[in-house]
């Protein structure tokens, strides 16, 4: 399987290099750049457990669900995965400025982002949830967010969902800060991914928080590349297809969530 993947990738890389040598402006060199330097550079938050975080309380190596999938994809492509950590609110700017090749940070696909970026095949399917304090019965649906205050990363998909439902959004840097504000009673709710809360609940059983409502819509998260990185996205998609077929995506999913969230 890996040999076939590398063979296909070699062809794509050769085509990209051929186009580059022709001197055409705007050619896709993203895949050939990665293969020539022997590494695929991923932008990631590093503070978004269980997706991307530092082990051993923040002092260890970067790890997590997205990190392991990124590493598996890079291995299929025959290169090394390296990670550049950045705050979420600056992650798209980092991609735009070519600090990294791809974003690996549970980025949900939405129409606005699809106009600006290329997305891989989704590797996570989930739903959005509203998280409140246990003693709060005022929110039981997304309509109840109208006039309430939520804590969200300002460029996240969850910010948009909260705003569309009438919430007053207070900007935060990440999940940990939003939880702290909710527990302190400084905001009414958090809108976020169900998987994030389930992991948090497993590790913090006495948090005093609950899922108050769940969205009927499914969120699809994927790797993100700059427009024009077609060859790179095609190679990543080929790798993801093989990782799904050989059970790697299922194994990584079950490790972090106890269920297959990749399909």
């Amino acid at each position: 399987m890996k040999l076939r993947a590398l063979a296909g990738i070699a062809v794509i890389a050769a085509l990209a290099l051929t186009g580059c040598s022709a001197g055409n402006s705007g050619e896709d060199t993203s895949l050939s750049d990665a293969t020539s330097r022997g590494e695929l550079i991923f932008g990631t938050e590093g503070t978004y457990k269980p997706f991307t975080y530092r082990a051993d309380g923040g002092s260890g190596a970067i790890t997590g669900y997205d990190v392991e999938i990124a590493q598996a994809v890079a291995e299929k492509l025959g290169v090394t995965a390296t990670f550049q950590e950045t705050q979420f609110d600056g992650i798209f700017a980092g991609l735009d400025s070519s600090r990294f090749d791809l974003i690996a940070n549970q980025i949900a696909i939405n129409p606005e982002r699809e106009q600006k970026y290329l997305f891989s095949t989704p590797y996570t399917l989930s739903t959005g949830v509203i998280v409140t304090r246990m003693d709060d019965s005022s929110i039981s649906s997304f309509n109840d967010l109208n006039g309430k205050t939520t804590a969200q990363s300002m460029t996240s998909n969850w910010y948009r969902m909260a705003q569309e439902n009438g919430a007053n959004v207070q900007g935060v840097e990440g999940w940990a800060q939003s939880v702290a504000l909710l527990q302190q009673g400084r905001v009414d709710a958090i809108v976020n991914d169900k998987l994030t809360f389930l992991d948090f609940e497993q590790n913090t059983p006495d948090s005093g928080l609950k899922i108050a409502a769940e969205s009927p819509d499914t969120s699809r998260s994927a790797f993100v590349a700059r427009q024009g990185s077609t060859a790179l996205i095609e190679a990543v998609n080929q790798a993801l297809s093989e990782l799904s077929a050989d059970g790697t995506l299922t194994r990584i999913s079950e490790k972090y969530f106890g269920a297959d969230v990749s399909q």
Side-chain angles (χ1 to χ4, degrees), residues 6 10 29 36 56 59 65 68 79 87 91 114 133 152 167 193-194 200 205 239 243 251:
L6 290 176
T29 61
S36 64
D56 301 323
S59 61
Y65 174 73
E68 289 201 25
V79 297
Q87 290 184 358
I91 205 164
E114 286 183 303
R133 292 179 297 279
Q152 318 290 149
D193 188 277
K194 182 178 182 179
F200 168 77
L243 291 167
R251 176 183 57 79

Side-chain angles (χ1 to χ4, degrees), residues 87-110:
Q87 290 184 358
F88 186 84
D89 288 349
I91 205 164
F92 285 98
L95 181 65
D96 293 338
S97 62
S98 300
R99 286 176 51 204
F100 27 83
D101 305 302
L102 296 162
I103 299 174
N105 207 89
Q106 278 298 291
I107 302 298
I109 301 171
N110 65 40

Side-chain angles (χ1 to χ4, degrees), residues 71-171:
Q71 290 169 332
V73 165
E75 183 178 358
K76 285 285 186 184
L77 270 62
V79 297
T80 300
T82 60
F83 299 91
Q84 287 196 12
E85 294 170 69
T86 183
Q87 290 184 358
F88 186 84
D89 288 349
I91 205 164
F92 285 98
L95 181 65
D96 293 338
S97 62
S98 300
R99 286 176 51 204
F100 27 83
D101 305 302
L102 296 162
I103 299 174
N105 207 89
Q106 278 298 291
I107 302 298
I109 301 171
N110 65 40
E112 182 180 357
R113 289 172 178 166
E114 286 183 303
Q115 291 180 0
K116 299 179 181 179
Y117 302 99
L118 295 181
F119 284 85
S120 71
T121 302
Y123 58 84
T124 314
L125 302 180
S126 186
T127 59
V129 296
I130 300 174
V131 179
T132 65
R133 292 179 297 279
M134 282 285 190
D135 59 1
D136 186 352
S137 60
S138 67
I139 299 174
S140 60
S141 72
F142 276 80
N143 290 335
D144 293 333
L145 288 178
N146 189 34
K148 301 289 188 179
T149 301
T150 69
Q152 318 290 149
S153 295
M154 297 296 284
T155 57
S156 74
N157 201 46
W158 311 117
Y159 164 83
R160 178 180 177 181
M161 183 178 288
Q163 189 178 54
E164 287 177 348
N165 283 277
N168 303 311
V169 180
Q170 181 169 333

Side-chain angles (χ1 to χ4, degrees), residues 242-258:
E242 295 194 4
L243 291 167
S244 177
D246 68 19
T248 300
L249 296 185
T250 298
R251 176 183 57 79
I252 296 173
S253 293
E254 291 179 343
K255 173 181 175 180
Y256 285 94
F257 304 107

